[in-house]
Amino acid sequence: MSWSVVGTISGTSADGIDLASIETDGRRVTEFGPARTTSYRPETRRSVLDAAAKKGADRARWPEIAKAVTDDHATAIQRFLNDNDLSPDAVVFHGQTVWHDPKAEETVQLGDPQSLADALDLPVIGDVRLADMAAGGEGAPLVPVYHQALAKTLLGEHREPLCFINIGGVSNLTYIDGENLLAFDIGPGNALLDDWINRHGAGEYDAGGEISKNGTVDRERLARALNHPFLSEPGPKSLDRYSFSGAFVDGLNLEDGAATLLAFTAEAIARAEALLPRPARLWLVCGGGRHNPVLMTALSDLLSGEIVSSDDHHIDGDALEAQAMAFLGGRLKAELPTTFPGTTGVSRPTIGGKFFHPAT
């Protein structure tokens, strides 16, 4: 039996609500449906980023922000359903992460799944990370089981071992080699570079790598940053957006700081290769980072194996995480586990998510 599920997620950069529809039986995707990204209202995004930057402080504002996040999702989802004439069996609501501290056994995704179910008059699946945390897992990353399904369906075992790298606010990877599934957060993704560009009034991000390509990497500062102990720790492991600081480039000009931060992201990913059981033959890059040609070139220079955008293999790198949320909803409906000891460090394969049904 398969189900129509709409998945939603907004990443740590809060640059938009990703929505995607798939048909799935929880084991594979039987049909890919439409996908879209909708922006938050500017005031919602500002509040989300401010809450995340305060690293778990100022919790009194969280209910207000959660309501804004829920309202923006309700508007975006309803429009998406109407525009595409969709009547899904369920909507998966990841919510907006503003704090993630697995050592304190805490992860916070703001949003109210019950209010969203009531607003949409549809079943909503929420709290997708909490069962994993309760069973001793890191609560992240969640998407490896979807990566594995894509690899089996679209690529085949002749390309394994392979890695998916997602470069969003942070970077993470999924290593797939037969039934061997390993995943962990790597280090900073786009967040430090985005913040640097924004702080200098040069835009929201380094579009096309145009700023960083004109800078010179400060190798001494970079070497010090790469001594961060997280980078050499084996997985499973996970990060908050603000676990790393970009302060090590303070004092550099715009271009040199950007070049050094981009090199930090690329070198951190290269360090992760040493933590894998075997070198990957193929690296599929997902997330916003794949649009930065300077970063992609740096990865090609540093990693063994073939480095390509996921889009080169007909995997929509913009829709992938929303599709993954929908797939996790299919896993819950099929009563199949969503996280595993090798992906989050959870004590046993664990089914994540909880159903919220609209009030009658």
Side-chain angles (χ1 to χ4, degrees), residues 77-100:
I77 295 166
Q78 192 62 66
R79 186 175 296 129
F80 180 68
L81 299 180
N82 292 344
D83 289 350
N84 294 286
D85 195 24
L86 297 174
S87 299
D89 296 298
V91 171
V92 180
F93 178 44
H94 173 269
Q96 178 64 56
T97 299
V98 294
W99 177 241
H100 182 73

Side-chain angles (χ1 to χ4, degrees), residues 169-223:
V170 302
S171 57
N172 55 63
L173 68 74
T174 300
Y175 171 88
I176 301 164
D177 189 6
E179 294 306 310
N180 189 4
L181 186 64
L182 173 68
F184 53 86
D185 282 349
I186 295 169
N190 302 316
L192 300 185
L193 179 56
D194 289 352
D195 291 348
W196 176 259
I197 299 299
N198 185 261
R199 193 160 68 246
H200 285 76
E204 293 294 322
Y205 62 98
D206 185 11
E210 289 296 320
I211 296 173
S212 52
K213 81 174 182 181
N214 290 315
T216 300
V217 175
D218 188 313
R219 292 290 168 185
E220 184 177 342
R221 294 181 188 226
L222 176 61

Side-chain angles (χ1 to χ4, degrees), residues 100 102-103 105 129-144 173 181-185 234-239 338-350:
H100 182 73
K103 289 183 172 58
E105 300 180 357
R129 298 185 187 271
L130 298 188
D132 181 84
M133 296 283 285
E138 295 265 336
L142 288 181
V143 300
L173 68 74
L181 186 64
L182 173 68
F184 53 86
D185 282 349
K237 55 182 178 176
S238 62
L239 293 167
T338 53
T339 57
F340 305 85
T343 63
T344 65
V346 70
S347 59
R348 60 188 181 279
T350 299

Side-chain angles (χ1 to χ4, degrees), residues 132-176:
D132 181 84
M133 296 283 285
E138 295 265 336
L142 288 181
V143 300
V145 70
Y146 181 60
H147 289 156
Q148 187 178 47
L150 287 178
K152 301 303 182 190
T153 302
L154 300 177
L155 299 170
E157 293 185 1
H158 68 286
R159 303 306 303 270
E160 297 175 1
L162 62 83
C163 279
F164 283 82
I165 309 175
N166 179 63
I167 308 176
V170 302
S171 57
N172 55 63
L173 68 74
T174 300
Y175 171 88
I176 301 164

Side-chain angles (χ1 to χ4, degrees), residues 5-357:
V5 187
V6 169
T8 70
I9 190 168
S10 172
T12 53
S13 59
D15 53 1
I17 301 166
D18 295 334
L19 307 104
S21 173
I22 64 170
E23 295 277 340
T24 180
D25 60 3
R27 291 178 172 82
R28 61 192 182 97
V29 178
T30 54
E31 184 178 341
F32 294 94
R36 174 187 296 175
T37 297
T38 300
S39 297
Y40 274 130
R41 289 172 292 171
E43 59 271 25
T44 304
R45 183 170 192 257
R46 284 193 299 269
S47 296
V48 165
L49 292 177
D50 181 61
K54 289 179 178 175
K55 302 181 180 181
D58 196 20
R59 299 183 179 216
R61 289 199 62 217
W62 283 359
E64 169 195 342
I65 301 169
K67 183 179 186 308
V69 166
T70 306
D71 290 346
D72 283 15
H73 274 76
T75 300
I77 295 166
Q78 192 62 66
R79 186 175 296 129
F80 180 68
L81 299 180
N82 292 344
D83 289 350
N84 294 286
D85 195 24
L86 297 174
S87 299
D89 296 298
V91 171
V92 180
F93 178 44
H94 173 269
Q96 178 64 56
T97 299
V98 294
W99 177 241
H100 182 73
D101 185 1
K103 289 183 172 58
E105 300 180 357
E106 186 173 40
T107 187
V108 178
Q109 287 74 48
L110 294 182
D112 184 345
Q114 185 60 61
S115 293
L116 185 62
D118 294 342
L120 298 174
D121 196 28
L122 285 169
V124 167
I125 295 169
D127 293 347
V128 292
R129 298 185 187 271
L130 298 188
D132 181 84
M133 296 283 285
E138 295 265 336
L142 288 181
V143 300
V145 70
Y146 181 60
H147 289 156
Q148 187 178 47
L150 287 178
K152 301 303 182 190
T153 302
L154 300 177
L155 299 170
E157 293 185 1
H158 68 286
R159 303 306 303 270
E160 297 175 1
L162 62 83
C163 279
F164 283 82
I165 309 175
N166 179 63
I167 308 176
V170 302
S171 57
N172 55 63
L173 68 74
T174 300
Y175 171 88
I176 301 164
D177 189 6
E179 294 306 310
N180 189 4
L181 186 64
L182 173 68
F184 53 86
D185 282 349
I186 295 169
N190 302 316
L192 300 185
L193 179 56
D194 289 352
D195 291 348
W196 176 259
I197 299 299
N198 185 261
R199 193 160 68 246
H200 285 76
E204 293 294 322
Y205 62 98
D206 185 11
E210 289 296 320
I211 296 173
S212 52
K213 81 174 182 181
N214 290 315
T216 300
V217 175
D218 188 313
R219 292 290 168 185
E220 184 177 342
R221 294 181 188 226
L222 176 61
R224 288 200 299 268
L226 288 168
N227 284 328
H228 196 294
F230 185 88
L231 300 179
S232 58
E233 292 175 9
K237 55 182 178 176
S238 62
L239 293 167
D240 180 69
R241 183 188 190 277
Y242 292 95
S243 296
F244 283 79
S245 169
F248 70 94
V249 298
D250 286 353
L252 297 179
N253 64 36
L254 170 64
E255 292 80 8
D256 291 352
T260 305
L261 289 169
L262 183 143
F264 185 32
T265 293
E267 293 274 5
I269 292 170
R271 296 285 179 95
E273 185 173 24
L275 304 177
L276 303 178
R278 291 201 295 158
R281 299 172 61 189
L282 176 67
W283 300 78
L284 296 124
V285 185
C286 315
R290 79 191 195 284
H291 295 304
N292 187 324
V294 180
L295 179 56
M296 292 293 283
T297 297
L299 292 175
S300 293
D301 291 342
L302 291 166
L303 295 169
S304 61
E306 182 185 4
I307 318 298
V308 299
S309 167
S310 60
D311 303 272
D312 293 352
H313 287 275
H314 309 291
I315 297 170
D316 187 335
D318 292 321
L320 188 147
E321 294 225 325
Q323 291 171 348
M325 291 302 111
F327 187 72
L328 297 184
R331 299 280 292 182
L332 175 61
K333 289 182 75 67
E335 300 182 346
L336 295 169
T338 53
T339 57
F340 305 85
T343 63
T344 65
V346 70
S347 59
R348 60 188 181 279
T350 299
I351 299 173
K354 177 182 175 184
F355 286 103
F356 296 82
H357 295 280

